[in-house]
Amino acid sequence: MPTSRPLARKLLATVLFGALSLPAFAAEPAWVTKSNENARVLLNVLAKYSPEGASNLGVDGYDEQITDMSRDQFEANNRDLRAAIAELQKRMRVETDSKVKQDLQILIDKAQDSIKTNTLQRKYFMPFDDLTGMIFGVVRSTLDPRIPKARQQTLLVRLDKYAGLAKGYRPVTELAHERLQERLKANKNLLGPYKGEVEQALNDGPTLIKGMRELLAKSELKGWESRFDVLEKQLTAYNARLKTEMLPRARSDHKLPPEVYADNLKNFGVDIGPQEMIAKALTSFAEIRNQMQITANLIAKERGFKDADYHAVMLELKKQQIPLEQVMPLYAERLAAIEAAVREQHIVTLPSRKAAIRLASMAENAAQPAPHMSPPRLIGNTGEYGEFVLTTGMPPDASGKRLVFDDFTHQSGTWSITAHEARPGHELQFAKMIETGVSTARAVFAFNSVNVEGWALYAEAEMQPYEPLDGQLFALQARAMRAARAFLDPMVNLGEIAPEGVKSFLMHDVGLSEGMATQEMQRYTFRAPGQATSYFYGYQRLMETRQAAEVALRGKFDRQKFNDFVLAQGLVPPALLRKAVMEEFVPAQGK
């Protein structure tokens, strides 16, 4: 996301850090305690420049602080990161524990990557801050029912600071404008944000403002009305200024500079080049499509459909849309069936407690259009767990048209998304971190999207054989979509396909609704360029590791023990996971 300051960039980090933070319940081994002391060095830098991110982590002492936009923070941020690297390298030279040393390298690598990313963003892009989206994220995360009431009260202090009502603070909308003018004066050749990104932010603004007001109204906070009235006027005026001043500066070409896109891929955990990714994904898509057709033939025969083409079969199955009031009961039923299969087939160890699933609000649809896991705050966690949030469509566009999703509200489409977002996918990942305990370095700073999304897609594949034929067809469709992402994302960023071509392909060849295809296209072009490749690549790397373990162990391979071991490692990169499996799991199981 093109920006040269911590505010918008660290908001993305907030989502990740909120998901992947320090376990709260498991007893810490001595090496984890020592590693976590080292992680504090880097955590302090994060907290200094993104207190909202630190607060979302659950770190004490930052709930009332906001990102300082009163001055340019680029040099100071990088200086502090370099100091952290020097300190961590100093500790590395005297450390003897292999696991602690491994975690120290994770922290050093993360800090070095952050400097590189900061520098590239500074080199190429003018600052663009979607303040409405940023503040909505803060309001939503602070007023999350899972957050203790005492911490929710601190939101009033932040609202005062954002609005410039607190002593010593000026409105964040004014400060953002000043930093933009400052950078434009320093370098008039900086690239603007992608036009579609600005237009989407402006379109979503009223929905997000309304969503904040609704969240505040439902809360137990007192005296928020006058504060928010002031902030709402400021945000409305700021968005109007974006329309008149930023939109004309926005670039019509969505493509990122090659080194920026390459850096994005690296940060998401992809360690191969775009062209190699495209080749792998194109081949995989063709193979999955063949499997879809085989399954569609069986369904057509079973149900008496006249047209057995997989497109036609999916369209016919999608007609079985679920009435809104029946969506949540049906998902609860699907989850129960999946859990029963997991236990019966000894796939992975499940908790005894229930997983949570809920429908998204309209504002949540705008902030994050795709179905997702809303993770708990894990530092200071008192028993909260993640929620599978089911989105229902895109917010209305400027013309009032609203693109709804039919992808997850039909009978056949409920199986795979439940396995991905709930169990045995993301919900179980986050729960295992709470219940088994991993170091902050492995849970937070070693995070990459390849590993976390690779597991969720792997979880879908684990469950596919135990689903009915129609569920299997849409499980294959979901896997085909991930393969399509892995060639469409790099292709659109390399200029080999236009954004509208991406949308058309996803609708006609993958079978997505217009709403789902639209948010996918936005993901590749401005929401998170490069991230969409992580599902396919993470799945491939995890399957490679599993097959290597199966070849090594043969008859001694135990699927449940392997899957439990993978989850116990935390959200680590594929190379580190492969090393742990081959050097720890395989020898232990081979005895």
Side-chain angles (χ1 to χ4, degrees):
M1 184 177 297
T3 179
S4 61
R5 295 196 305 280
L7 190 62
R9 186 179 67 254
K10 292 301 183 183
L11 178 64
L12 177 59
T14 296
V15 176
L16 304 180
F17 285 132
L20 312 171
S21 36
L22 182 65
F25 304 137
E28 287 183 355
W31 77 267
V32 171
T33 301
K34 190 172 186 180
S35 175
N36 288 346
E37 291 171 359
N38 293 331
R40 177 65 61 174
V41 173
L42 200 52
L43 195 61
N44 286 341
V45 180
L46 172 101
K48 180 178 180 179
Y49 294 98
S50 182
E52 292 96 338
S55 177
N56 201 39
L57 264 169
V59 179
D60 288 331
Y62 295 93
D63 287 351
E64 296 183 355
Q65 296 187 30
I66 67 170
T67 299
D68 182 6
M69 296 185 68
S70 65
R71 60 184 65 85
D72 188 286
Q73 299 281 12
F74 172 75
E75 293 294 347
N77 190 3
N78 280 359
R79 183 171 58 248
D80 285 350
L81 284 170
R82 287 191 290 269
I85 291 169
E87 175 61 27
L88 294 168
Q89 289 173 332
K90 178 182 175 182
R91 298 185 187 192
M92 174 77 87
R93 288 192 288 270
V94 297
E95 184 55 61
T96 57
D97 187 289
S98 61
K99 288 184 179 294
V100 177
K101 289 183 72 172
Q102 201 170 51
D103 281 8
L104 278 164
Q105 191 60 55
I106 287 170
L107 296 170
I108 292 167
D109 290 346
K110 182 66 176 181
Q112 291 174 336
D113 288 346
S114 296
I115 290 174
K116 181 179 180 182
T117 299
N118 291 349
T119 303
L120 285 172
Q121 296 296 316
R122 178 78 163 195
K123 174 183 177 181
Y124 285 108
F125 300 108
M126 67 179 66
F128 168 59
D129 295 308
D130 176 13
L131 293 179
T132 307
M134 185 279 289
I135 295 174
F136 172 78
V138 173
V139 172
R140 178 178 58 177
S141 62
T142 307
L143 296 182
D144 190 308
R146 296 167 291 177
I147 301 303
K149 297 296 184 183
R151 297 192 84 144
Q152 293 187 22
Q153 292 292 325
T154 61
L155 180 60
L156 296 175
V157 179
R158 276 190 171 150
L159 292 179
D160 280 343
K161 292 180 177 179
Y162 287 138
L165 299 174
K167 185 177 180 181
Y169 288 81
R170 293 172 56 213
V172 68
T173 52
E174 292 181 10
L175 297 175
H177 180 69
E178 289 177 5
R179 300 290 76 75
L180 169 63
Q181 298 306 313
E182 186 177 84
R183 289 297 298 136
L184 289 175
K185 184 177 180 180
N187 185 352
K188 64 180 181 180
N189 296 320
L190 292 172
L191 296 174
Y194 175 49
K195 182 181 179 182
E197 180 178 11
V198 182
E199 290 174 338
Q200 192 64 47
L202 293 173
N203 182 68
D204 291 346
T207 301
L208 295 176
I209 289 172
K210 181 181 178 183
M212 283 189 272
R213 186 172 287 279
E214 290 172 350
L215 287 168
L216 287 160
K218 293 176 183 176
S219 75
E220 297 179 8
L221 301 185
K222 305 297 182 184
W224 62 267
E225 291 88 351
S226 59
R227 294 172 167 92
F228 190 74
D229 286 345
V230 172
L231 185 60
E232 179 177 355
K233 290 178 182 178
Q234 292 171 350
L235 290 174
T236 301
Y238 176 78
N239 288 337
R241 177 177 265 182
L242 284 180
K243 185 173 183 179
T244 58
E245 296 183 8
M246 180 60 79
L247 194 57
R249 290 189 172 100
R251 66 186 198 277
S252 57
D253 187 354
H254 63 276
K255 297 190 298 296
L256 296 173
E259 62 179 330
V260 174
Y261 185 66
D263 186 62
N264 281 8
L265 290 177
K266 184 175 185 294
N267 287 334
F268 289 126
V270 176
D271 55 10
I272 61 174
Q275 292 298 344
E276 185 178 354
M277 175 71 76
I278 291 170
K280 286 177 177 287
L282 284 169
T283 301
S284 182
F285 181 84
E287 293 172 344
I288 297 167
R289 185 173 53 192
N290 288 340
Q291 296 175 42
M292 291 174 68
Q293 188 56 61
I294 292 169
T295 308
N297 289 339
L298 295 172
I299 294 171
K301 183 177 181 180
E302 177 183 83
R303 303 199 181 193
F305 294 165
K306 292 182 179 179
D307 191 344
D309 179 79
Y310 77 88
H311 303 88
V313 172
M314 285 196 299
L315 285 173
E316 194 66 33
L317 292 173
K318 275 191 173 186
K319 292 178 182 179
Q320 301 174 15
Q321 289 291 308
I322 312 159
L324 187 62
E325 68 276 6
Q326 296 178 24
V327 170
M328 287 299 94
L330 180 61
Y331 268 91
E333 181 183 316
R334 290 291 185 263
L335 179 59
I338 288 172
E339 288 179 322
V342 168
R343 293 187 174 101
E344 182 179 338
Q345 300 298 326
H346 304 288
I347 293 172
V348 68
T349 302
L350 294 177
S352 57
R353 59 173 179 78
K354 292 183 177 180
I357 306 175
R358 66 175 176 84
L359 285 173
S361 67
M362 186 60 72
E364 287 176 314
N365 284 337
Q368 193 168 349
H372 57 275
M373 170 56 56
S374 172
R377 183 189 302 230
L378 300 180
I379 291 180
N381 189 301
T382 56
E384 308 90 33
Y385 288 89
E387 296 177 323
F388 166 21
V389 182
L390 185 65
T391 48
T392 55
M394 300 283 290
D397 61 19
S399 69
K401 179 183 178 182
R402 180 168 181 252
L403 300 177
V404 298
F405 297 164
D406 65 3
D407 308 85
F408 315 108
T409 52
H410 61 95
Q411 295 279 343
S412 307
T414 54
W415 292 93
S416 201
I417 191 68
T418 303
H420 183 101
E421 300 292 353
R423 293 177 182 169
H426 287 321
E427 193 273 348
L428 187 59
Q429 278 182 313
F430 302 146
K432 286 292 185 181
M433 286 194 293
I434 294 174
E435 295 163 353
T436 63
V438 292
S439 66
T440 305
R442 292 167 190 259
V444 177
F445 295 110
F447 166 87
N448 69 55
S449 193
V450 161
N451 199 62
V452 66
E453 297 299 352
W455 168 264
L457 187 50
Y458 171 84
E460 291 182 36
E462 285 285 79
M463 299 316 303
Q464 182 188 333
Y466 312 108
E467 297 167 356
L469 276 177
D470 59 331
Q472 291 186 40
L473 177 60
F474 281 91
L476 288 168
Q477 184 213 29
R479 204 179 311 166
M481 180 182 73
R482 275 45 168 266
R485 282 174 170 174
F487 61 78
L488 292 174
D489 187 306
M491 285 175 70
V492 78
N493 280 285
L494 293 173
E496 296 180 11
I497 188 172
E500 286 304 314
V502 168
K503 180 178 171 181
S504 175
F505 184 91
L506 290 169
M507 291 176 64
H508 296 105
D509 290 76
V510 181
L512 301 185
S513 66
E514 185 179 0
M516 188 66 182
T518 299
Q519 70 83 28
E520 284 289 311
M521 178 264 287
Q522 292 179 351
R523 182 193 296 229
Y524 314 160
T525 53
F526 66 82
R527 290 188 186 271
Q531 190 272 343
T533 65
S534 63
Y535 300 74
F536 169 80
Y537 191 61
Y539 170 73
Q540 282 211 331
R541 293 294 299 272
L542 180 52
M543 287 301 296
E544 288 171 10
T545 296
R546 171 167 166 171
Q547 291 308 307
E550 287 198 48
V551 169
L553 290 170
R554 305 298 293 275
K556 293 183 178 179
F557 180 82
D558 185 302
R559 173 166 65 175
Q560 182 167 330
K561 289 180 180 178
F562 173 82
N563 289 338
D564 286 348
F565 180 86
V566 168
L567 288 176
Q569 303 312 299
L571 300 169
V572 295
L576 188 58
L577 178 62
R578 175 72 170 261
K579 180 179 175 66
V581 167
M582 301 311 292
E583 295 182 5
E584 298 176 37
F585 177 78
V586 168
Q589 295 298 307
K591 292 179 180 178

